[in-house]
Amino acid sequence: MAEKTVLSVAIDGPGGAGKSTVAKAAAKELGLIYVDTGALYRAVGVNALRNKLDTKDEKAIKKMLKTTNVELKYIDGVQHVFLNDEDVSTEIRTPDASMAASDVSAIQIVRDFLFDTQRNIAKKNNCIMDGRDIATVVLPDAQVKIFLTASAEVRAQRRFLELQQKGSTDTYEKVLEELKQRDYQDSHREIAPLKPAEDSIIVDTSEMPLDESIRTVVNLIKEKM
Ligand code: DC
């Protein structure tokens, strides 16, 4: 019997490009599972913060991983991330958790630790997976590879409004500064830096309203389905 082919869609790009919103909507429309891999790095980052560790200290993080368990579970079709059996899906969304995630994600042992979790989901499910190295490292054989991006200013503005809705008092300038710092870190690290794969399609959403971004991505996926 012919082996069933699983559909994998990789969406990479910098923070605030709208990856999760676009990927989530596209997954819903096309009946695919949405996998947000940043949540895994965020959970490791949160664990380091909770343990008051230096998030760039490789030795300390390596030791911490021995007692760290990170899992993704789907509850009513929505992804939740569990850190040592505790649902930390809300706690991982703070600006501190963003920076901690970016720090720990530059450590090879952290990437190795999370690799199988990502691969195993994609092996068993038709999915859209978003992150930084999905097309280049995690799913190099994905049938669709998209690099979703936008200017730093546009991304900062979107993130600023999102944080404001959550009650944050951070200024736009602070949000922009942190975003640029994270961009730099994520794209200049030695291991699995943020970059498009050679065969990624670049989608720049700087001038696109959300529904147009979703439509563009859905159409690119439909061409391969
Ligand atoms: O997508 P996000 O903003 O939730 O990701 C948080 C951090 O995790 C990001 O700054 C870099 C890291 N990350 C990564 O290195 N590789 C991935 N596949 C996903 C996220």
Side-chain angles (χ1 to χ4, degrees), residues 11 14-29 34-36 93 128 130-131 148 158-159 162 165 205 209-215 217-218:
I11 302 192
K19 295 188 302 287
S20 65
T21 313
V22 170
K24 221 182 272 176
K28 195 168 176 202
E29 184 170 336
Y34 165 59
V35 188
D36 162 18
R93 295 295 156 199
I128 301 187
D130 93 30
L148 202 74
R158 290 176 186 160
R159 178 86 7 122
E162 205 178 284
Q165 277 175 2
T205 69
L210 181 60
D211 57 346
E212 192 186 336
S213 309
I214 296 169
R215 195 73 4 247
V217 167
V218 165

Side-chain angles (χ1 to χ4, degrees), residues 15 19 36-39 41-42 93 98 101-102 105 111 118 130-134 159 182 186 189:
K19 295 188 302 287
D36 162 18
T37 63
Y41 292 93
R42 285 170 180 268
R93 295 295 156 199
S98 301
S102 178
S105 72
R111 307 202 72 82
Q118 300 170 74
D130 93 30
R132 302 292 187 285
D133 63 336
I134 308 305
R159 178 86 7 122
R182 208 149 68 91
D186 293 347
R189 66 185 180 212

Side-chain angles (χ1 to χ4, degrees), residues 2 15 47-48 53 62 77 84 89 94 98 109 122-123 125 127 135 137-138 144 156 165 182 189 207 224:
N47 201 22
L53 302 178
K62 185 175 177 184
N84 296 335
S89 306
T94 64
S98 301
I109 192 161
K123 240 186 241 170
N125 305 281
C127 72
V137 178
V138 180
V144 187
Q165 277 175 2
R182 208 149 68 91
R189 66 185 180 212
E207 309 278 328
K224 303 279 178 173

Side-chain angles (χ1 to χ4, degrees), residues 157-172:
Q157 180 63 21
R158 290 176 186 160
R159 178 86 7 122
F160 171 64
L161 293 176
E162 205 178 284
L163 287 170
Q164 258 194 340
Q165 277 175 2
K166 289 185 189 166
S168 161
T169 53
D170 285 357
T171 60
Y172 166 78

